[in-house]
Amino acid sequence: IWCSWYSYFTSVTEADMVENIEAIDRLDLPVDVVQLDDGYQQAHGDWLTLSDRFESLEGIVGRIRATGRRAGIWLAPFLVFPDSDLVARHPEWLLRGPGGDPVVAGHNWGRDCLVLDVTHPGAAEWLVAVCETIVGMGFDFFKLDFLFAGALVGRRHEEMSGLRAYREGMELLRRSI
């Protein structure tokens, strides 16, 4: 069970998660994994910066694990929002098109979604650190979404095909998760 993708639009809160965790436990539902889905983060790409509706991912993990269940989290590791802090700090980490503009992986959540170029050493190091931090919090189930973005065609820090970049990105995720 999880707070689904609609959470981004319905403003899921930490209180909602706590209420659901308590109900699952009280009703002794046969649920092995309780997953926090999209909506906990400030923006796509700012995975460790919480929206104002959440106080602590560690607190959520603790509540889930206290019931004997596994804690899961949603992550779109190759997507970033144009207005994210990540893009503001590191625009050089984006996949670029032939004219130099960021490649758009699609339009969702009411905005364009840009692509993290994991062939850039800084972006790769950052992604590994994000995943290792989340694992360190106690999450042991990852719903990785929108992975196709890692294979899109574009100008990367290291010249390579989209497929090779995707494979390298997946290897980063395997090692860090």
Side-chain angles (χ1 to χ4, degrees):
I1 191 165
W2 62 81
C3 293
S4 183
W5 67 268
Y6 72 90
S7 65
Y8 187 80
F9 297 104
T10 60
S11 302
V12 66
T13 66
E14 187 164 338
D16 295 332
M17 286 295 297
V18 169
E19 180 183 342
N20 283 307
I21 294 163
E22 289 173 351
I24 291 166
D25 195 44
R26 183 178 64 256
L27 297 170
D28 195 29
L29 297 177
V31 173
D32 296 325
V33 177
V34 178
Q35 179 192 309
L36 175 58
D37 212 77
D38 184 19
Y40 65 90
Q41 74 284 357
Q42 172 181 282
H44 289 55
D46 298 335
W47 305 112
L48 301 178
T49 305
L50 301 179
S51 77
D52 60 3
R53 299 177 310 274
F54 283 81
E55 291 182 29
S56 166
L57 291 180
E58 293 91 339
I60 295 286
V61 170
R63 287 182 177 275
I64 294 169
R65 295 184 78 120
T67 69
R69 292 175 176 86
R70 295 174 60 198
I73 193 165
W74 178 90
L75 190 71
F78 303 141
L79 288 188
V80 294
F81 280 169
D83 60 347
S84 67
D85 289 343
L86 178 70
V87 169
R89 285 191 320 267
H90 298 287
E92 73 278 12
W93 290 0
L94 296 177
L95 180 65
R96 300 284 172 172
D101 292 330
V103 170
V104 176
H107 189 82
N108 207 340
W109 303 281
R111 66 188 77 192
D112 287 339
C113 298
L114 307 180
V115 182
L116 182 69
D117 174 10
V118 296
T119 71
H120 190 289
E125 183 179 309
W126 171 84
L127 182 57
V128 167
V130 165
C131 292
E132 288 176 348
T133 299
I134 293 171
V135 169
M137 290 176 187
F139 287 101
D140 66 351
F141 177 91
F142 281 70
K143 177 186 173 186
L144 300 177
D145 210 349
F146 296 93
L147 295 174
F148 72 89
L152 292 177
V153 173
R155 207 172 67 224
R156 293 178 163 75
H157 180 77
E158 288 187 34
E159 190 175 325
M160 66 179 68
S161 70
L163 182 56
R164 182 168 166 222
Y166 172 81
R167 288 179 178 154
E168 288 191 12
M170 293 304 294
E171 183 56 33
L172 286 173
L173 293 169
R174 281 187 202 96
R175 284 195 326 256
S176 57
I177 296 173

